[in-house]
Structure formats: structure tokens, C-alpha cells
Amino acid sequence: MDDEALEEKKKIDEIIDTVKTYHPDADCAIIEKAYLFAKDAHNGQKRLSGEDYINHPIEIARILSTLQLDETTVSAGLLHDVVEDTSISLDDIREGFSDEIASLVDGVTKINKIKVSGEDEEQIETFRKMFVAMANDVRVIIVKLADRLHNMRTLAAMTREKQIKKSRETLDIFAPIASRLGIYRIKWELEDLAFKFLEPERYAEVVDLVASEREEREEYIRRVIEILSEKLTSENIQHDISGRPKHYYSIYQKMESGKSIDEIYDLMAIRVIVNKIDDCYATLGWAHTLWKPIPGRIKDYIAMPKANMYQSLHTTVMGPGGKPFEIQIRTVEMHMIAEYGVAAHWRYKEGKAGPDDLSEKLNGLMNEIKELEQDSEDSGDFVESVKTDLYDDEVFIFTPKGKLIELPAGATPIDFAYRIHTDVGNSCVGSKVNGKIVPLTYKLQNGDRVEILTNTSSKGPSRDWLNVVVSPQARNKIRAFFRKADKEENILKGRELFKRECKHFKTEITEEMKLRYEDFIKSRFNVASWDDLYATIGYGGVKAGYVIQRIKANFTHDFAEESDKPALVKAPTREKGASVHVQGHSDLEVTFANCCKPVPGDQIVGFTTRGRGITVHRADCVNIANTNEPNRIIAVNWITENIQSDSFTANIMIRCLDRKSLIADISTIIGNEGINISSFRTSASGEDEMRMNIEIVISSVSQVQSIVNKLGSVPSVIAVYRI
Ligand code: MN
């Protein structure tokens, strides 16, 4: 054995000794076997620092033993890089060691394949979750944290670029995970190392600051420890008091958040470790009799443990000379949890070396946490971190460019495609997962790298996809696609109906007119465009005839000729002219023209007849317009106060599809307007179309307008117009 091998052997023996202290019955031969196996596998490999590669796994094993993890995890630590970096396979490990060790190594290997990228907080949070989700055993995460810790300790050998990248990753991903698992010991060291490499100057400043007046401060701490210790001894409280270690990164963070050095109590802090919970509260009480507590700084994490199981009493008191300092008070067990977090669970898993109740307590606490309502932010995080199976409802997938995407468990490449972009989803024709073609129904697995094959001439999604996708997003987008596709069809159908109806009305609506009517139809029918209106007509949301009728009513000038067609009905029932005043005359006999049947509200003119007084026509009557005796035209107007009691008839024609109780519906509407029906005729027209000719008695043109509008919206009515 050469010197190096001797040195390694010594380290392994130390690790085994450490494990024996907390697991006296552990089968430590497996640790030695793992060491020899790893040494052989990594033979000839060097680290960047120039030392043999095997030193790295040995250091991981050492860190794991200081966290007091079981021999299985320590062995897995020794073997953690073997599958990734050598020709050894997972099966070799399974055969040579155990399924458990192989599964831990596999977990670490998988996690190592995750390439962290992206800067935004959301992406980073997804990575954190993914790390935890991919490790089906919390011990995998702990091995990974130990791996990262040793890599950070030896980061100086790396290029500056690598140093920055690894440090950033450590702060973003690994330190928060350590924190959530309650492994503060690792969290703090990771943070301080990352801080040192990321901001060397600021780091030096903080170190200097902590070092300044150090002696003075240490002397002060010694004094308060002495005072408190004396008090506790006289009160028969067994205790162990020490100054609290300083964490440069947390001091830096506090300074960054605008706190002055005097407000950073970490610089002056002591920790009291006692045997029982009662002693914690007693110690707090005695401390407060010695020094005045600063209001708002007392925290009882014993009654209200932090989500990561941390328990302790905190108080800040005004010490001798008016200098504030912090006191943390906790039991031995609480201290163990504070330092080792979840790792403490394995430490006393077998309940042999430690207090029996701790294991129970940890289990109890974990169960309690699981049941905690998610009222605190951290509790959710912690539950997620520890109970990796809580991630069962999510799956983490990579894009070809390495962006990480979170999808519901059971997601398929189609879900993924729609998450990337609607167009990618709609033109998706196939997919590759980790380079291999898979069916679109493939259930994606954590860490899959997915590529979507698209074809721009694809006709779009299949309706079957709706049964395959699991994300609401994909489902909605597929539905939207079909709604849109159906819309195209409806537009065609609606356009055709509209055309047919125009023909029926003998109405021509030119493209120029459509342009002018666009604003009107938008507001009148609440649509975005003519196409939109056609689509609505197409699926039956509105009747083409009704649309035409509304347009004509609104743009009467465009359709003036039609409205001047000779009336189809008999003369008005009212022959007396009491409701019309002829300018310059008061006693002329007035009759209403049969050709245009004016009703109150219409623009009217008088025509002087020979021997029959004045005939009243609508101002736009063709007969008036074509007269060769314009001098016989005389101005007339409605006498509105007389109109109230007067009545006129108007004829309405309804085109409709016959249905049960249609006639009843129509008469009800007319009746509700307070209008009498003087005649009602129906006739069949076409296969199932029918016409109703209704003569109503009205007192003004606005009444006709109103009734026409109302009848137009009756179901199965195609069109209504006044004739
Ligand atoms: Mn490693």
C-alpha cells in the first residue's frame, strides 16, 4: 500500500468509527467494500485539483457520517459517481451491494443529469421541486447535498466561470432545499461558500466587519454567558451555553436589507441547550429577570415549530451596558433537529443510540406537519420537500432547449405541445422522447426531454385527443380549435342564408352598403364583423330575415323605393281628416291616399283633388314624386293631440316556420302592446314555411316599428315586415 492508499484507508476507518458511534450494530463491512469498489472503478481518474478522484466520494461519505446517516447512505455516497463516470452499471451495484444502495445511486445519477438553466424565480422554483420530485427517497437529496457541499469546498480549482455558475446554482437550488429539509448545518456552509465565490469583495468586507472588535465582543459574550450560567446553576437547571457561530451570508443579507451593524444580533448571540422543554421556558424566564427583553423579539418556536421541524425559543435582551444580544434556548433533541433536520430522522431511526422518544417524536412531527393546514407558506414547501410522493400529481419535462416545464401527472406529448404553443399543438403529428419516437398517447416521465414533430399542412388536432390530454390548457385549446373550425362552416352557411333571404325580400345589399352597415350590425347584433354575424346566422343565433329587416329599418334611404311599393291593403278605416291639419285651411275635407297608406309619424303631403278636398300621401309616395302637377301639392301635418284617439290600420307580414303555439305567442305579443288585431290570415308557403298577414289597429308609425321588432325575435320567425 502506498502512502495515498494508507491515507484513504485511515479516512475510511474514521468514517466507520463515526458510524459505529451512532449505529453500534451497523454492518460497516459494506462501507469498506463500497470504498474498494469505487476506488477500483474510478482508478486513474483525477479531479481538477489534481488529486485522485476517489477522494471526492470519500469526502461525501465523511459528510454523510457527520450527519449520522445509516451505513446504506454512506455506502451510496461512496458509489454515487460510479454509474455516471465509469463503465459500472446499475445492475453491477445491485448485484454487488443491494437494491437499496443501487436505488440511491440511481437517484443521484438521475438528479445529476438535470441541467439547471433559466434565471427567473418561477423556473428556479420548478427546478427545486423537480430535484425533490425525482429523488424518490429523501436520502438521495441528502447525498446530493453532501456532493454539492464537497464540490463547493473544492471550487477554487474550477474556472471563474464555473465558480460563478455553481455558486449561483447553490444559492438558488441547493441551499433552499437544505433549508427546507431543516439541515441548517449544510445550508449555512453552502451559502457562505457561494457568497465567497460570487462576491469575493463583499465577502471580505463582512468577514472584516465580524472580525473587528472581535475580542471586545467575545469578552462581552463570555461575561453574559457567565452571568446566565451562574443563575441557571443556582436554579438547578442543567445547561450548556455557547456563543453562536456566525454566518457571513446571513449577516450580508441583513445588511443588504438595510439593517445597521448594531441591529444584526447574530453578531452577539448565545445558545443555551438544556435537557427538558420545561427548562427552556424556565431559562427564558431567568434570562428576562437578568436583562430586559426587547419587545417583539420573543419567538416561541417550541409551541409553534417551523415547518421544517425547527424548534427553539428566541429572545433578544438588553445586556450589560445597553448592548442587545440574542439568546436561543432549546433542548438537545431540538438542537439536533435544528442542525440535521430531516437527516436526524435516520440518525435515530433504529432508536438504539439516542433517546427512544426522538424517533417517535420526529415521526409524530412529520405527520403533524403533513396534516397542517397550508396556512404558512413554508409548511407547504416542506411537505412537498419531504413527502416526495406528494409530487405524484406533477411531472417535470424538458424542452429540446432545456427549459423545464411542469405538467400534470399523466400528461402526454400533446399536453406538452399545447403548453409550448397553440400552433405547435395544432400542427403536432408526432413526438420524440429522449430521442426516440413515441406514440402521442405516451405518458411523460420526470426528466423526459420531449420534442414535438409538427407538420404545417396538418389538418389540426383529432377529436380523440380530448380523451388523451390531461391538462386543462390543452383541452381548452383543442376545443377552441374545433369551435373555430366549426365557425368557418357556419360563416359559409350563414352567408348563403343571408343571400337567399335578400333574394326573398327582393333586397340588394351591396358590398359598399355592407361596409357602411358594419358599425350598425356590430352594435346591433353584438358581433365583431360581418363574418361573425354570418357565423351567428349559420348556427341559428339570429335569423337572416330579421337582420335584413333591421338593416332596412335603420337605413330607410337605401331602401326607399321598396317602401313606396303600392300598399297591398284596402283603404284606411279612418277617413276623417281630424288628425291632419292643412296649412292655411281649417275646414277642408281630408282623405288618406290608398296608394301609400300614411299613418301618423310618416312624413306626409297633401294633394288637392278636384271636388274631394285634400288627399294625404306619404311624402315619399311615388305618385307624388311623379306628378306633373306639383302646384297641387300642399303642406299638411299631423295634429298629434288628435292622433291619440285616432286609429289606423297597418299590415304586417310574418314569414315563419310553423310550430306549436306560434300563433298564440304572436297574438300575445301584439296584445301586450295594447294593439288590436283586425285581421289575421295564415297561408302555407314552401315546405314548412308559412306566412301570416296581420292587420293591426295602431295610432302611430312608432307602434308598428316596435311590434315589428318584437315579433322578429320570436323563435321560428324568419322575417317580419310592414307592408
Ligand atoms: Mn460527485
Side-chain angles (χ1 to χ4, degrees):
M1 250 191 222
D2 56 20
D3 284 356
E4 272 174 16
L6 275 173
E7 189 61 30
E8 287 166 15
K9 183 71 179 66
K10 211 178 119 199
K11 284 183 191 169
I12 293 297
D13 287 343
E14 275 169 24
I15 291 167
I16 290 173
D17 286 347
T18 309
V19 175
K20 290 248 187 232
T21 60
Y22 56 87
H23 280 177
D25 301 338
D27 171 20
C28 288
I30 198 142
I31 295 176
E32 188 151 6
K33 188 177 167 191
Y35 154 66
L36 292 170
F37 191 96
K39 184 177 168 60
D40 193 40
H42 289 296
N43 190 29
Q45 294 179 345
K46 298 273 182 198
R47 301 200 81 216
L48 276 179
S49 58
E51 60 178 358
D52 283 346
Y53 196 87
I54 190 65
N55 278 297
H56 170 62
I58 291 174
E59 286 308 317
I60 308 297
R62 191 212 290 280
I63 293 166
L64 292 169
S65 73
T66 50
L67 291 173
Q68 306 201 351
L69 279 143
D70 56 11
E71 65 275 18
T72 308
T73 315
V74 173
S75 304
L78 283 163
L79 297 165
H80 83 278
D81 274 335
V82 158
V83 173
E84 200 179 347
D85 295 346
T86 79
S87 57
I88 303 293
S89 76
L90 210 54
D91 284 339
D92 296 334
I93 303 222
R94 204 169 287 126
E95 264 171 49
F97 296 88
S98 66
D99 283 352
E100 201 181 355
I101 290 179
S103 135
L104 292 177
V105 171
D106 186 36
V108 178
T109 309
K110 274 188 185 146
I111 282 186
N112 281 344
K113 287 199 180 123
I114 304 173
K115 296 283 170 276
V116 180
S117 65
E119 311 247 295
D120 58 300
E121 182 51 36
E122 198 185 323
Q123 184 78 7
I124 286 164
E125 175 59 25
T126 311
F127 268 104
R128 277 185 222 132
K129 282 194 199 166
M130 187 193 188
F131 271 101
V132 178
M134 281 191 74
N136 42 17
D137 187 320
V138 181
R139 289 177 297 175
V140 169
I141 298 281
I142 299 172
V143 174
K144 184 61 207 173
L145 288 173
D147 181 37
R148 174 53 61 123
L149 180 57
H150 184 244
N151 285 335
M152 288 302 291
R153 283 177 182 171
T154 54
L155 198 59
M158 296 261 191
T159 60
R160 181 73 191 127
E161 205 187 352
K162 265 264 166 81
Q163 287 174 356
I164 291 170
K165 186 173 179 283
K166 292 279 166 196
S167 299
R168 195 69 262 162
E169 221 175 73
T170 297
L171 275 190
D172 285 343
I173 313 274
F174 295 100
I177 290 175
S179 170
R180 280 175 204 182
L181 298 184
I183 313 172
Y184 283 110
R185 183 177 271 227
I186 287 187
K187 169 195 146 92
W188 279 317
E189 192 178 345
L190 284 176
E191 282 179 347
D192 281 355
L193 286 165
F195 174 39
K196 186 170 117 186
F197 285 105
L198 280 175
E199 308 246 16
E201 281 163 28
R202 300 288 284 135
Y203 179 81
E205 269 176 52
V206 175
V207 172
D208 271 359
L209 194 73
V210 173
S212 70
E213 298 173 45
R214 185 193 197 125
E215 273 181 35
E216 219 176 289
R217 214 166 37 230
E218 282 178 354
E219 176 53 35
Y220 184 83
I221 292 290
R222 252 196 304 280
R223 251 177 72 207
V224 298
I225 288 178
E226 214 177 274
I227 296 167
L228 183 60
S229 182
E230 212 170 278
K231 184 77 199 168
L232 294 180
T233 306
S234 72
E235 298 299 329
N236 279 324
I237 297 172
Q238 277 191 36
H239 60 273
D240 181 8
I241 312 183
S242 55
R244 223 189 103 190
K246 286 138 199 85
H247 307 293
Y248 296 123
Y249 185 64
S250 75
I251 291 169
Y252 164 72
Q253 277 182 313
K254 283 170 190 163
M255 287 166 63
E256 287 292 284
S257 69
K259 286 202 171 118
S260 77
I261 192 77
D262 294 333
E263 291 173 286
I264 300 172
Y265 303 114
D266 300 37
L267 286 171
M268 300 258 279
I270 62 170
R271 182 174 290 150
V272 187
I273 294 173
V274 295
N275 287 334
K276 310 189 299 265
I277 290 181
D278 287 353
D279 289 349
C280 293
Y281 290 102
T283 302
L284 182 75
W286 291 121
H288 286 173
T289 62
L290 293 168
W291 305 290
K292 245 191 177 36
I294 294 176
R297 294 276 313 169
I298 304 166
K299 301 219 171 75
D300 185 351
Y301 294 118
I302 292 176
M304 301 284 289
K306 281 195 191 179
N308 58 17
M309 302 190 294
Y310 178 86
Q311 284 188 295
S312 193
L313 295 176
H314 292 187
T315 183
T316 303
V317 295
M318 207 50 100
K323 286 186 186 167
F325 69 98
E326 193 191 59
I327 309 174
Q328 295 183 346
I329 307 159
R330 55 179 78 147
T331 66
V332 180
E333 295 164 16
M334 290 172 193
H335 183 56
M336 222 128 46
I337 294 168
E339 295 280 302
Y340 303 110
V342 158
H345 186 63
W346 279 273
R347 191 174 194 183
Y348 287 117
K349 202 166 72 166
E350 272 132 60
K352 282 171 188 157
D356 272 351
D357 62 343
L358 181 58
S359 172
E360 236 171 77
K361 200 167 162 191
L362 275 165
N363 279 322
L365 202 51
M366 283 168 98
N367 285 331
E368 218 171 274
I369 287 162
K370 271 184 263 165
E371 285 157 17
L372 265 185
E373 293 240 29
Q374 305 240 338
D375 50 2
S376 103
E377 274 176 43
D378 306 31
S379 81
D381 291 344
F382 180 72
V383 172
E384 281 167 1
S385 307
V386 176
K387 287 303 297 172
T388 60
D389 57 358
L390 286 188
Y391 277 116
D392 277 358
D393 52 0
E394 278 159 273
V395 60
F396 300 88
I397 305 302
F398 285 106
T399 67
K401 282 185 184 155
K403 190 178 180 323
L404 188 58
I405 282 179
E406 200 177 330
L407 287 166
T412 63
I414 304 170
D415 291 283
F416 175 83
Y418 277 102
R419 174 63 64 82
I420 300 302
H421 196 276
T422 310
D423 291 344
V424 176
N426 286 341
S427 58
C428 165
V429 290
S431 74
K432 278 183 176 178
V433 168
N434 305 325
K436 277 185 221 135
I437 297 268
V438 297
L440 287 174
T441 51
Y442 170 86
K443 300 263 177 265
L444 296 172
Q445 305 295 315
N446 268 326
D448 277 350
R449 189 169 291 265
V450 184
E451 195 183 329
I452 295 299
L453 310 172
T454 58
N455 183 344
T456 40
S457 57
S458 147
K459 285 209 183 76
S462 144
R463 284 193 199 262
D464 294 339
W465 290 5
L466 287 169
N467 303 321
V468 174
V469 297
V470 298
S471 58
Q473 194 187 18
R475 194 180 306 278
N476 290 340
K477 286 179 173 178
I478 295 168
R479 286 207 182 115
F481 176 90
F482 286 115
R483 254 202 313 277
K484 208 177 149 209
D486 292 345
K487 189 177 173 182
E488 311 276 303
E489 235 170 75
N490 283 330
I491 289 174
L492 286 177
K493 210 164 119 194
R495 203 191 296 273
E496 198 44 48
L497 279 170
F498 188 80
K499 238 159 94 186
R500 241 167 54 196
E501 215 56 18
C502 281
K503 233 183 233 167
H504 196 100
F505 274 87
K506 297 194 171 55
T507 300
E508 204 198 350
I509 297 180
T510 63
E511 291 306 310
E512 179 273 330
M513 285 154 94
K514 278 185 192 167
L515 268 177
R516 277 192 289 122
Y517 300 166
E518 192 158 335
D519 285 342
F520 169 73
I521 59 128
K522 277 182 184 171
S523 66
R524 182 62 181 76
F525 298 102
N526 196 21
V527 290
S529 63
W530 271 96
D531 273 355
D532 220 21
L533 179 61
Y534 289 145
T536 313
I537 293 170
Y539 75 74
V542 64
K543 280 144 196 121
Y546 181 66
V547 171
I548 293 165
Q549 197 263 315
R550 294 318 313 140
I551 287 172
K552 287 170 75 172
N554 200 66
F555 299 94
T556 43
H557 284 298
D558 288 340
F559 306 97
E561 286 167 38
E562 287 175 53
S563 45
D564 280 340
K565 276 174 194 155
L568 304 173
V569 287
K570 58 187 193 307
T573 52
R574 175 83 190 172
E575 302 268 320
K576 277 192 342 205
S579 55
V580 171
H581 172 252
V582 181
Q583 267 178 24
H585 308 268
S586 55
D587 50 357
L588 276 175
E589 188 190 345
V590 170
T591 52
F592 292 96
N594 265 339
C595 54
C596 58
K597 286 195 68 180
V599 298
D602 284 337
Q603 291 287 314
I604 45 171
V605 292
F607 195 81
T608 318
T609 59
R610 291 184 186 87
R612 280 209 299 138
I614 303 288
T615 312
V616 175
H617 289 257
R618 277 157 67 161
D620 51 9
C621 174
V622 269
N623 292 335
I624 293 294
N626 294 337
T627 181
N628 43 15
E629 294 170 288
N631 55 324
R632 289 168 69 181
I633 295 172
I634 188 167
V636 294
N637 35 25
W638 298 102
I639 304 167
T640 36
E641 54 271 34
N642 288 356
I643 290 167
Q644 304 302 330
S645 54
D646 286 344
S647 54
F648 303 83
T649 56
N651 281 61
I652 286 172
M653 209 242 294
I654 300 175
R655 283 180 53 217
C656 50
L657 300 173
D658 200 2
R659 68 163 166 86
K660 214 176 143 201
S661 68
L662 176 61
I663 292 175
D665 289 354
I666 286 173
S667 355
T668 308
I669 286 175
I670 296 173
N672 287 347
E673 289 287 294
I675 293 169
N676 290 323
I677 296 171
S678 49
S679 143
F680 200 127
R681 277 184 298 122
T682 62
S683 57
S685 149
E687 229 169 278
D688 39 29
E689 198 179 308
M690 141 177 141
R691 284 181 192 204
M692 297 182 189
N693 283 292
I694 309 170
E695 190 177 88
I696 52 175
V697 183
I698 51 153
S699 56
S700 81
V701 76
S702 64
Q703 262 189 315
V704 190
Q705 219 52 268
S706 150
I707 201 75
V708 161
N709 288 352
K710 290 211 164 83
L711 294 175
S713 52
V714 172
S716 89
V717 166
I718 301 164
V720 182
Y721 34 101
R722 174 185 164 203
I723 47 178

